[in-house]
Amino acid sequence: AQSVAQPEDQVNVAEGNPLTVKCTYSVSGNPYLFWYVQYPNRGLQFLLKYITGDNLVKGSYGFEAEFNKSQTSFHLKKPSALVSDSALYFCAVRKSNSGYALNFGKGTSLLVTP
Amino acid sequence: SAVISQKPSRDICQRGTSLTIQCQVDSQVTMMFWYRQQPGQSLTLIATANQGSEATYESGFVIDKFPISRPNLTFSTLTVSNMSPEDSSIYLCSVDIVGGQGTDTQYFGPGTRLTVL
């Protein structure tokens, strides 16, 4: 079975500081990992994905994620947080490159304070 | 990416009634999915909407409660039948879009916020 875990319910960061939202995965076979963001009263927006290749994946809005096979992690990062980054972040995994739905983590609420 | 629209965006319904949610995509897609997000929770897959055949439901979801139609490659509907307050959730459709290097990305509609009284 494919699953991801987000160990933090909430992450608080001061504006301008780096942020990290954690995600660990458990898969059989190659991992296909994703990050999505959900702003209040809006749908999910795709940020980035890891399929294969470079362990550092760059995505939308200045976000990046680092794939670490030995630690089975796929943490989301941003060098300098903005207040507008405050939202709900979901890590997700699926068992193939295509044709399958996503298994989501429980979500992490990010609060960036001025 | 793709432009995905859902109707209605929100609704308040009485228990025992049914609501049909529409999902429209601006391009033809093979894979389309329906998810549920209960208040304060993550997303749970309800079913895969298959074009020209019956939907494939996940454990805990049945066709009688959540009938799905997929008449073509750009449109699907999800009906929430005989509603109870426990059905109050956000319902989202999503589609797979083929990207560069043969990789697929799943994009989501804006969701339908359903409240059952």
Side-chain angles (χ1 to χ4, degrees):
Chain A
Q2 325 292 315
S3 66
V4 290
Q6 294 180 245
E8 303 156 316
D9 290 335
Q10 181 160 324
V11 170
N12 297 321
V13 176
E15 187 175 31
N17 284 357
L19 70 87
T20 298
V21 183
K22 296 180 179 178
C23 173
T24 58
Y25 65 89
S26 175
V27 303
S28 54
N30 295 323
Y32 299 88
L33 298 161
F34 302 78
W35 276 102
Y36 288 83
V37 59
Q38 185 176 37
Y39 297 99
N41 299 314
R42 295 175 65 178
L44 263 66
Q45 297 181 28
F46 168 73
L47 282 178
L48 51 80
K49 67 182 177 183
Y50 173 82
I51 303 298
T52 186
D54 291 341
N55 290 340
L56 187 63
V57 180
K58 294 188 181 297
S60 306
Y61 312 121
F63 284 93
E64 58 190 26
E66 185 173 8
F67 173 74
N68 188 316
K69 187 173 183 178
S70 63
Q71 298 184 2
T72 62
S73 66
F74 188 56
H75 299 333
L76 181 70
K77 300 182 179 184
K78 188 173 183 180
S80 179
L82 301 172
V83 173
S84 57
D85 292 329
S86 298
L88 191 56
Y89 290 81
F90 289 97
C91 182
V93 64
R94 70 180 178 189
K95 64 180 179 180
S96 175
N97 177 41
S98 64
Y100 292 93
L102 296 165
N103 290 332
F104 284 87
K106 64 178 181 178
T108 298
S109 178
L110 173 67
L111 179 62
V112 181
T113 53
Chain B
S1 63
V3 177
I4 308 168
S5 60
Q6 286 186 232
K7 291 181 181 180
S9 59
R10 59 177 62 225
D11 207 341
I12 300 173
C13 301
Q14 297 297 319
R15 70 169 65 215
T17 63
S18 298
L19 176 71
T20 296
I21 302 168
Q22 299 179 4
C23 180
Q24 179 77 52
V25 190
D26 68 343
S27 59
Q28 293 187 337
V29 295
T30 302
M31 304 302 298
M32 186 177 283
F33 307 93
W34 286 97
Y35 292 82
R36 180 176 73 181
Q37 185 179 21
Q38 293 177 299
Q41 302 295 315
S42 185
L43 282 79
T44 301
L45 179 68
I46 297 172
T48 302
N50 301 309
Q51 195 270 328
S53 64
E54 193 171 283
T56 304
Y57 289 85
E58 296 299 299
S59 176
F61 297 96
V62 295
I63 188 171
D64 290 346
K65 176 66 176 177
F66 297 101
I68 289 171
S69 76
R70 179 88 191 272
N72 56 53
L73 293 177
T74 64
F75 185 79
S76 178
T77 66
L78 167 74
T79 299
V80 186
S81 303
N82 188 24
M83 288 184 285
S84 67
E86 292 70 34
D87 295 319
S88 297
S89 297
I90 300 173
Y91 292 85
L92 301 102
C93 68
S94 70
V95 301
D96 264 1
I97 300 295
V98 178
Q101 300 175 333
T103 63
D104 287 3
T105 299
Q106 200 159 120
Y107 292 94
F108 287 79
T112 296
R113 183 179 294 270
L114 171 63
T115 301
V116 184
L117 303 177

